[in-house]
Each structure stands twice: as structure tokens, then as C-alpha cells.
Amino acid sequence: MSELIIKLTDRIDSVNVEEVREKVNAQIAEEHSAVVFDGDGLCYISSVGLRVLLKVINDEKKAGNEQVRFVNASPEVYDILATTGFDMLMDVTKAYRQLDVTGKEVIGQGFYGIVYRYDDDTIVKVYKGEDSIPLIMNEKKMAKLAFVKGIPTAISYDIVKVGDDYGSVFEMIRSSTYNQRIIDEPDNTDRIIREYVDLIKQIHSTEMEEGDIPEAKEIFMRYLYDLKDILSVAQIGMIRKLLVWLPKDLHVVHGDLQMKNVMISDGEPMIIDMDTLSSGSPIFDLQALYVTYMAFNEDEPDNCEKFLGISAEMAVHIWNRIMEYYFDTKDPETLGKLEDKIRLLAYIRFMYILTKSDHKNSELYKIRIEHSIRHIEELLEKVEDLYLEI
């Protein structure tokens, strides 16, 4: 049996309530597993109309069917349902307003979506795929958890439809990104990177309660499982062991802290893309930065130019300064050993991204996979643990 969708339109009041009641009763007589009221086009419902809904809710409850849902409620209808307490009797979902991002500036791009500058005050992150809503709700949840812990985080105030996809809307008045600042202020590059690294350290100094967010090393365990047809059993075993040896760490890991995901709004930093939030060692953020600034450029030297608008040389410069500022040293031997550990995890994530995205269909896919495997083989001979200690 499938869900029974009952469409409600125009107005439901004393004038037409009997007609609506007959229509609903006729549909309810059909076999179904659950009832969904679709309010797309419904502009008003009076108390007599609400009694029709209430009877369905009570009858479905007696029949042991799944909870009744109401979808596509207009703001006016949603307010009526919330005010009368119907949102406590059934799941009520607002109708999403439609936005068109055609021709809008792309200011960020991650694994799950693309961030657009919609207007001077607003940005929209559009999620790809049909499972957008759970991803958006998860990002909102993660953003709120980070915000109350003092991390400067952008929290979405609306969910919208963008074609067949969905997006989160953020108010970002007079905002730019750290990436754009690097482009616009070449003479201040190192100062901007240091400011950016200080923000990363602030994030990494923040602790969450156990169980609030996923553990980064468990996420990497799943990466390894998904790469079981690419890496050897021995390689996976060695990497799993290194991950297991890492102690539980409740400090925040963003997961994709590249400069396009850090906005500057009214002079204050604001982090977006919180769907990747987890807890663990800083290595899990640094590996993602290595992927962005180094791994993608390895077999495609103009990748950063296309993706970030910066040269390959600038990407290398940014990565080197991140390492120096983060670990507060310029000693090449120390930085080299730390980088080997970071690179080992970076190439695991890099291969995971390649296999789970459109990159799989590119001409470079096979070359990138081969080079990543070769790097992992070499690094496993040198890396004894994943502790980032100087």
C-alpha cells in the first residue's frame, strides 16, 4: 500500500466544507498506508475545515496507520495550523518559495552543493540530489550546535526550491570570502592567511558534548569501506589501525574549511557548509585543505584557477603558510613529517570524492586514482602514527 495524497485548494469554509468532506471521505475509503494532505494552492481553512482534518487524524490513529502529514502549507495556512495546535497532531511542512539562481555568481562549491550570491544581502546554498531536505536540516542542526559554542557560524533562515533541488538561504550583508580577499588583496596575502589560520585554531579549540556530532575517524572508516575495491586489504588494515590508535577527541572539525567556505560579513568571519561538522584531531581538517590546495592540482595544474580563481603557485603558497602558521614553525623536517601524516588521510578522502562525484566520469579519473594509490603506498612506509605533535 502507498501513501494517499489528498489535494486541498482555494478556500475551505462553511460554503464548501460539505463538498470537501465528501471528497475526502471518498478518497479515504481507498487502501493506503498513510495520508498526506497537500496544501499547494490552499489559501485559507476555517474551523469547519479543520474539523474535517481532525476526523481523518483520529480515524487514521484508530486504524493504526502512519501519522497524517500536511505538506506545502502556505505561510497563512501554516499559521492557522500552528495557532490551533494542528502542528502537534500531524507533521506540517511549509511550502517552499521558488528561487532562480540562473546567472548568479558562484562563491563556493562543496561536495554536496553550490553557494550562490543571490543579491547584495543574501546567499543561497543549493544542494544537489533528491535527498536535499535531510541534508539541509542536518546542516541547520550542526550550525546551531556550533553557534552556541561560540563558533562564528551562518545559520539558514529559510529553505527554498531551486528548480528540482532545494537550498538554504543565509543573510550575508556586504559579504565576501577569504578566497576573494586573497584575489583582491595580493599584497596582504600572508596577513589574510594568518587571520584565516587563527580562525581555524579557534574552531579546533572548541569542544562538543559526546554524541552531539559524528566522529571524524568513523567517517574515514566508512571511506575505507567504500574504497575496498581500490585499496588492498593490507593497505586498508594498516590505515584502519592508524585511525583506531587516535584517541577520542571531542574538539570540532569542520571537514571542509577551504577559504571559499569562510565568509566575511560586515567585517566578521562567518563559516558556512556545516553539514560536514564532526569531532576529532585537527588532522581531519588539515587533510581536507591539502585536498583542496594540493591534491586536485597535482594532475590538473589549472584546477585551482578554475575552482578558486587562484594560480597553482598561490595554492601552494597558501598551503605552505597554513602549515607554518598552524604549527608555528618553519623547520622543513618537522613540517615534512607532519605533512606526510596529513597527506595519507588526504589521499583517502581525495579518492573517496573522486569515486562519489562527477569526477568519476572525467578523463583524469584513472590517473588520479593511480597516483593516489602510489602516494598511499609510499606514505604507509613512513607514517607510524597520525598524531600531530611537534
Side-chain angles (χ1 to χ4, degrees):
M1 289 188 293
S2 59
E3 288 185 331
L4 174 64
I5 298 176
I6 300 176
K7 290 188 174 293
L8 305 174
T9 58
D10 300 322
R11 294 172 59 89
I12 303 176
D13 52 27
S14 58
V15 175
N16 67 342
V17 69
E18 289 306 320
E19 179 186 341
V20 173
R21 194 193 315 275
E22 289 177 11
K23 172 189 170 184
V24 170
N25 288 341
Q27 289 186 259
I28 287 291
E30 301 172 13
E31 286 194 26
H32 57 272
S33 61
V35 174
V36 180
F37 288 109
D38 186 347
D40 188 22
L42 181 67
C43 60
Y44 176 76
I45 183 167
S46 69
S47 58
V48 291
L50 292 175
R51 284 197 284 273
V52 174
L53 302 189
L54 183 60
K55 185 177 187 305
V56 172
I57 293 169
N58 289 334
D59 288 348
E60 290 298 302
K61 186 176 180 180
K62 290 175 185 176
N65 288 333
E66 296 178 17
Q67 185 183 17
V68 177
R69 294 189 293 121
F70 194 111
V71 299
N72 292 323
S74 68
E76 295 78 14
V77 171
Y78 184 88
D79 287 344
I80 292 171
L81 295 173
T83 301
T84 55
F86 270 73
D87 59 340
M88 300 175 67
L89 300 176
M90 60 181 173
D91 183 37
V92 180
T93 305
K94 284 185 179 180
Y96 301 113
R97 62 190 176 104
Q98 188 85 35
L99 290 186
D100 183 3
V101 296
T102 305
K104 301 297 184 181
E105 178 192 1
V106 175
I107 59 173
Q109 188 164 353
F111 188 67
Y112 293 111
I114 303 173
V115 181
Y116 296 89
R117 159 68 61 197
Y118 189 72
D119 56 36
D120 288 344
D121 296 342
T122 309
I123 66 170
V124 182
K125 179 180 178 182
V126 180
Y127 285 76
K128 295 173 283 190
E130 13 182 79
D131 298 327
S132 301
I133 297 298
L135 288 172
I136 291 171
M137 298 309 292
N138 180 64
E139 178 169 16
K140 289 184 75 171
K141 174 187 172 184
M142 295 298 169
K144 288 179 181 178
L145 285 171
F147 183 79
V148 298
K149 291 288 186 177
I151 296 175
T153 306
I155 299 177
S156 167
Y157 69 85
D158 196 11
I159 299 175
V160 294
K161 281 204 76 173
V162 184
D164 293 329
D165 298 320
Y166 292 87
S168 285
V169 182
F170 303 85
E171 185 179 38
M172 288 285 185
I173 300 172
R174 293 184 293 278
S175 63
S176 181
T177 66
Y178 270 91
N179 188 79
Q180 192 59 45
R181 285 186 66 192
I182 290 288
I183 296 170
D184 293 342
E185 305 173 43
D187 294 339
N188 294 324
T189 296
D190 286 359
R191 180 177 60 78
I192 294 167
I193 298 171
R194 183 174 286 282
E195 184 181 315
Y196 165 68
V197 170
D198 286 343
L199 178 63
I200 294 174
K201 287 185 174 183
Q202 178 190 343
I203 295 168
H204 291 169
S205 68
T206 305
E207 286 190 83
M208 288 290 187
E209 303 301 321
E210 187 168 358
D212 274 355
I213 56 179
E215 288 189 58
K217 69 177 179 180
E218 293 303 321
I219 294 171
F220 266 75
M221 293 291 190
R222 293 197 291 273
Y223 290 171
L224 290 175
Y225 177 81
D226 286 340
L227 295 173
K228 63 183 182 299
D229 295 328
I230 296 177
L231 295 173
S232 70
V233 173
Q235 289 168 338
I236 290 175
M238 293 171 71
I239 298 165
R240 281 180 61 88
K241 187 180 292 185
L242 293 173
L243 289 168
V244 169
W245 282 346
L246 280 174
K248 181 179 285 293
D249 190 336
L250 298 177
H251 288 91
V252 172
V253 173
H254 179 275
D256 191 13
L257 260 178
Q258 49 107 342
M259 287 186 174
K260 270 199 168 186
N261 284 336
V262 185
M263 309 291 296
I264 302 167
S265 182
D266 276 348
E268 297 294 327
M270 198 72 70
I271 302 163
I272 60 173
D273 250 18
M274 301 299 285
D275 45 285
T276 53
L277 206 68
S278 61
S279 64
S281 161
I283 195 172
F284 293 106
D285 259 339
L286 294 170
Q287 62 78 26
L289 295 178
Y290 185 89
V291 170
T292 297
Y293 294 107
M294 301 293 286
F296 266 111
N297 258 13
E298 183 176 344
D299 296 304
E300 187 182 13
D302 62 345
N303 180 273
C304 277
E305 186 69 50
K306 291 188 294 186
F307 182 65
L308 300 173
I310 61 175
S311 67
E313 291 76 19
M314 177 58 76
V316 172
H317 180 82
I318 289 171
W319 170 250
N320 288 336
R321 288 296 181 269
I322 287 172
M323 289 292 289
E324 291 174 8
Y325 296 157
Y326 192 92
F327 294 105
D328 196 24
T329 181
K330 291 188 176 184
D331 179 59
E333 184 178 354
T334 299
L335 291 173
K337 289 179 180 178
L338 291 167
E339 186 173 271
D340 284 345
K341 299 177 183 186
I342 293 166
R343 290 176 65 227
L344 177 60
L345 293 189
Y347 282 109
I348 293 166
R349 180 172 177 270
F350 185 48
M351 285 198 295
Y352 175 81
I353 292 172
L354 295 175
T355 60
K356 298 295 181 180
S357 66
D358 292 341
H359 293 289
K360 190 171 185 178
N361 302 317
S362 74
E363 295 179 2
L364 284 172
Y365 174 75
K366 186 177 179 182
I367 295 172
R368 281 172 159 164
I369 291 292
E370 289 175 352
H371 286 175
S372 296
I373 292 172
R374 189 183 310 154
H375 288 312
I376 287 172
E377 288 173 349
E378 294 168 353
L379 290 165
L380 282 174
E381 294 179 1
K382 299 189 286 183
V383 174
E384 297 178 351
D385 62 65
L386 298 174
Y387 301 114
L388 296 184
E389 298 174 348
I390 295 182

